[in-house]
Amino acid sequence: MPLSEHEQRMLEQMERALYAEDPKFASALEGSGLRTYTRRRVYQAVAGFLVGIALLMAGMVAQQIWVSVVGFLVMLGCAVLAVTGWRKAPKPGEQPAAGAARRQVRQKRSMMDRIEQRWQRRRDDQGH
């Protein structure tokens, strides 16, 4: 559930107050969570890729084509996760794109507003 405009303003005020009080602590908190998450995601994808290779080889040795196909699909999926996770990871000392996240929330909210308006119009047209 997205935050209301009032809640977003309050959150921004709290962020500004935190920066004013302790900018070093605030900057340490800001990037580390996303950076740690994406690093962990890339490591998991690499481990999954290795499992996919093992499945591929096991399928070839056991002459079970379906095991090899599953191994290849696991490798492909993990490669995609690793590449997308690597691209999204903020560089050390870089600020995450908070503006992009806020725009995305606003776009989702506006889409939900449009859906709610359509629903209301349909109900009104049906005479409820």
Side-chain angles (χ1 to χ4, degrees):
M1 179 177 192
L3 298 175
S4 69
E5 289 182 29
H6 176 69
E7 291 169 331
Q8 285 180 353
R9 283 193 302 268
M10 294 294 290
L11 183 60
E12 289 171 359
Q13 287 175 355
M14 290 189 314
E15 288 175 354
R16 284 192 296 267
L18 179 62
Y19 275 111
E21 286 182 25
D22 194 356
K24 192 176 198 180
F25 176 68
S27 64
L29 283 179
E30 189 174 64
S32 65
L34 182 60
R35 192 169 44 245
T36 303
Y37 169 75
T38 53
R39 187 181 311 141
R40 186 179 319 129
R41 182 176 169 188
V42 169
Y43 290 151
Q44 289 171 347
V46 169
F49 190 84
L50 295 175
V51 168
I53 290 175
L55 283 172
L56 182 73
M57 295 304 229
M60 290 173 62
V61 169
Q63 294 181 353
Q64 297 290 325
I65 300 220
W66 66 272
V67 175
S68 296
V69 170
V70 168
F72 176 76
L73 292 175
V74 167
M75 287 171 51
L76 182 65
C78 289
V80 169
L81 282 176
V83 169
T84 57
W86 193 264
R87 287 183 183 170
K88 290 180 183 178
K91 307 295 183 263
E94 181 183 38
Q95 299 280 341
R102 286 190 187 118
R103 275 194 303 271
Q104 202 171 34
V105 168
R106 286 185 189 131
Q107 287 174 350
K108 286 181 184 177
R109 189 174 343 134
S110 66
M111 183 183 74
M112 288 302 295
D113 289 341
R114 285 182 284 167
I115 291 171
E116 288 176 9
Q117 288 171 355
R118 288 179 191 163
W119 177 258
Q120 193 63 33
R121 267 188 265 135
R122 286 183 188 148
R123 288 191 59 165
D124 292 342
D125 290 343
Q126 292 176 355
H128 284 36

